[in-house]
Amino acid sequence: MKPHIPVLLNQVIAGLQVAAGKRYIDATFGGGGHAREIERRGGKVLGIDTDPDTDAVHGNFRDIKKIAQENGFSKVSGILFDLGVSSHQLDTPERGFSYRFTNAPLDLRMDQSKGETAAQLINRLPESELYDIFVRYAEEELARPIAHAIYRARAVKPIETTGDLVKIIGNRPGVLSRIFQALRIAVNDEFGALKEGLAGAEELLEQEGRLVVLTFHSLEDRIVKKFLERSGFRRITKKPIVATQEEKELNPRARSAKLRIGEKL
Ligand SMILES: C[S@@+](CC[C@H](N)C(=O)[O-])C[C@H]1O[C@@H](n2cnc3c(N)ncnc32)[C@H](O)[C@@H]1O
């Protein structure tokens, strides 16, 4: 299994202005790549992750304020969000995050301890709402025929595995990755959680504290951009920072990464 390589590591650390003895929250701990580097430089880190299969405090960052207070991190110098899924999650077949493993349950929950799976969602929602999800979260051109094909297929037999969905959509990697992404965003209410998480983070930051957010989806980036424009932040990045060609070649996850940094006023 490939280890998770932290994206834009140096830029994240510089953005957080990591200094010894100061406190930071890593709201998306994952494999702990960024958090370990903060600690190596003497920072104290509270790691949070919604996935119980990590070494972080288990919780959704939409509750960041409560989690931070419970763990004695009610005022901090920097908060990091590195959104999306980790390589570990993508490479674990039974999580259902990847269409590459065709025999996996169609789950896609980051927190498998609660909520509806993608299979339950896809078998329950009306065709029009599936269409909406594919358009809204993936801007998928084939949203209508795919929603219809799902509607017809599930009338014959419920959709249960990643393979069931791949069969319906066909072997089209681009379409498959967009449809899986759209389902993942819906199942985990990723945009709702992000908006609440950013608002909570603003309250936890001390004056001149840094908010550092790595996104991998254009709509996510838009949420972050708007948030930094209208709330009490000085924008450190007017344009998002992206990875160099070299980093993109080394780490394919870095290809779509956008990094935005704000400083609390
Ligand atoms: C890209 S990975 C983070 C990788 C990490 N920075 C590293 O270097 O190892 C994203 C992580 O965020 C977690 N996550 C996603 N949405 C979350 C949420 N709403 N609350 C808490 N954690 C979340 C995922 O479970 C995943 O482990």
Side-chain angles (χ1 to χ4, degrees), residues 4-7 9 26-36 48-52 54 57 59-63 80-87 89 95 97 110-111 188-190 193-194 214 216 253:
H4 185 97
I5 311 169
V7 173
L9 181 60
D26 182 343
T28 51
F29 185 82
H34 291 105
R36 259 191 305 278
I48 301 172
D49 204 295
T50 189
D51 187 341
T54 62
V57 171
N60 193 304
F61 59 53
R62 71 187 332 146
D63 304 317
L80 167 66
F81 291 82
D82 172 14
L83 299 167
V85 278
S86 66
S87 306
Q89 289 168 327
R95 302 300 296 267
F97 282 116
M110 292 196 192
D111 182 351
N188 298 289
D189 183 26
E190 292 186 22
L194 177 59
L214 263 170
F216 298 86
R253 280 196 75 252

Side-chain angles (χ1 to χ4, degrees), residues 78-103:
I79 301 181
L80 167 66
F81 291 82
D82 172 14
L83 299 167
V85 278
S86 66
S87 306
H88 177 64
Q89 289 168 327
L90 269 179
D91 291 342
T92 308
E94 55 273 23
R95 302 300 296 267
F97 282 116
S98 174
Y99 61 84
R100 288 178 288 131
F101 308 112
T102 46
N103 241 337

